Amino acid sequence: MKKQSYSCGLDAAVDVIGGKWKALILWALHDGSRRFGELRRAVPGISEKMLILQLREMEHYGLVRREVYHQVPPKVEYSLTDFGQSLNAALIPLGEWGEKHMKTIEAIPAA
Amino acid sequence: MKKQSYSCGLDAAVDVIGGKWKALILWALHDGSRRFGELRRAVPGISEKMLILQLREMEHYGLVRREVYHQVPPKVEYSLTDFGQSLNAALIPLGEWGEKHMKTIEAIPAA
DNA sequence: TCCGATACTGAAAAAAAGGTAAGTACCTGA
DNA sequence: TCAGGTACTTACCTTTTTTTCAGTATCGGA
């Protein structure tokens, strides 16, 4: 999930949001901070394991900020950093493209 | 590489350009048609197998057009369809984001 | 005292993706 | 006759990614 050098900007960007879930998590965070459990519900189908794994990676990349509230029961809030927000903004056209062509894409047989 | 339904447009788009190579191939085709061998050289590090696999998938999705010239030695040209071009356009901001932050991304340790 | 909620962690297995290397067919030119 | 170029195909193997599922700690409330 990490190359040493990139052939172009898109290459680098794909490396960062690569995988099945990161883009969706980023998206789910676009309107403010969310707790772990909220995110799990916001990203349908994701397992707890994957959610944490991806969040940790995104935190490592500086896309996401993690804030722990020492309470019981525990509370952890995730939010986008400026870097994360800039990436999210760059993803908007792609999201719109997908929205526009979703019908077409869904109609394509899997095999 | 194909879900039944998508939770949002980005979800669908990521499904379409998912994987290590599709975005790069799309990119390599943005300025006109290319032959198989040209593409292989244009996308550094890709194996012939992966290139064909991805091209076939993209053809299947209607992103790429394949034209065979019955000559010897054989000649096959790949180019973007309008659909492919629209996707490519949606990827431009992402490419620019990657370009802009490439230094930052490269500086992040892999582990 | 036991249950539930929260946010995780770890091991193991399954599935998907990618890599390597060899082989195919065809004609051309040496 | 034989190597060379093109565009693949096939089989096999390794790596990476994702899933599954059980388990941890804490405290409040029934």
Side-chain angles (χ1 to χ4, degrees):
Chain A
M1 180 105 313
K2 193 67 172 39
K3 295 183 188 172
Q4 317 73 359
S5 71
Y6 299 104
S7 56
C8 71
L10 195 54
D11 194 7
V14 165
D15 211 13
V16 171
I17 51 145
K20 198 169 171 179
W21 302 111
K22 292 212 191 68
L24 297 176
I25 297 172
L26 219 59
W27 204 249
L29 285 171
H30 87 278
D31 54 356
S33 63
R34 295 262 185 120
R35 299 183 56 172
F36 180 81
E38 289 178 310
L39 276 177
R40 188 181 2 133
R41 286 185 288 275
V43 182
I46 197 169
S47 65
E48 298 196 335
K49 172 94 185 259
M50 269 300 116
L51 183 52
I52 288 172
L53 231 74
Q54 303 301 310
L55 282 170
R56 290 283 144 84
E57 237 179 279
M58 290 161 81
E59 198 191 346
H60 178 72
Y61 273 84
L63 297 166
V64 159
R65 188 183 302 115
R66 179 170 180 268
E67 286 168 286
V68 183
Y69 297 78
H70 291 288
Q71 311 172 347
V72 168
K75 173 176 167 182
V76 181
E77 281 203 337
Y78 293 91
S79 55
L80 293 183
T81 60
D82 289 351
F83 191 42
Q85 299 219 14
S86 71
L87 176 53
N88 218 354
L91 284 171
I92 289 175
L94 191 60
E96 285 170 354
W97 181 90
E99 199 80 48
K100 188 172 168 189
H101 299 287
M102 199 178 302
K103 291 268 167 54
T104 312
I105 298 167
E106 280 176 347
I108 297 167
Chain B
M1 180 102 316
K2 191 70 169 43
K3 294 183 191 172
Q4 316 76 357
S5 70
Y6 299 104
S7 56
C8 73
L10 196 54
D11 194 5
V14 164
D15 211 12
V16 171
I17 51 144
K20 198 169 170 181
W21 303 111
K22 291 212 191 66
L24 296 177
I25 296 173
L26 220 59
W27 204 249
L29 285 171
H30 87 278
D31 54 356
S33 64
R34 294 264 183 121
R35 300 183 57 172
F36 179 80
E38 288 179 310
L39 277 176
R40 190 183 356 137
R41 286 184 290 275
V43 183
I46 196 169
S47 66
E48 297 196 335
K49 169 175 166 185
M50 271 300 117
L51 183 51
I52 289 171
L53 232 75
Q54 303 301 311
L55 282 170
R56 289 283 144 85
E57 235 180 280
M58 291 162 81
E59 197 191 345
H60 179 73
Y61 273 85
L63 297 166
V64 159
R65 190 183 301 118
R66 180 169 179 268
E67 286 168 287
V68 182
Y69 296 78
H70 291 287
Q71 311 173 345
V72 169
K75 174 176 165 182
V76 181
E77 282 203 336
Y78 294 92
S79 54
L80 293 183
T81 62
D82 288 351
F83 191 42
Q85 298 219 11
S86 72
L87 175 53
N88 218 354
L91 285 170
I92 288 176
L94 191 59
E96 284 170 354
W97 181 90
E99 198 79 47
K100 189 171 167 189
H101 299 288
M102 198 178 303
K103 291 269 166 56
T104 312
I105 299 167
E106 281 176 346
I108 299 165

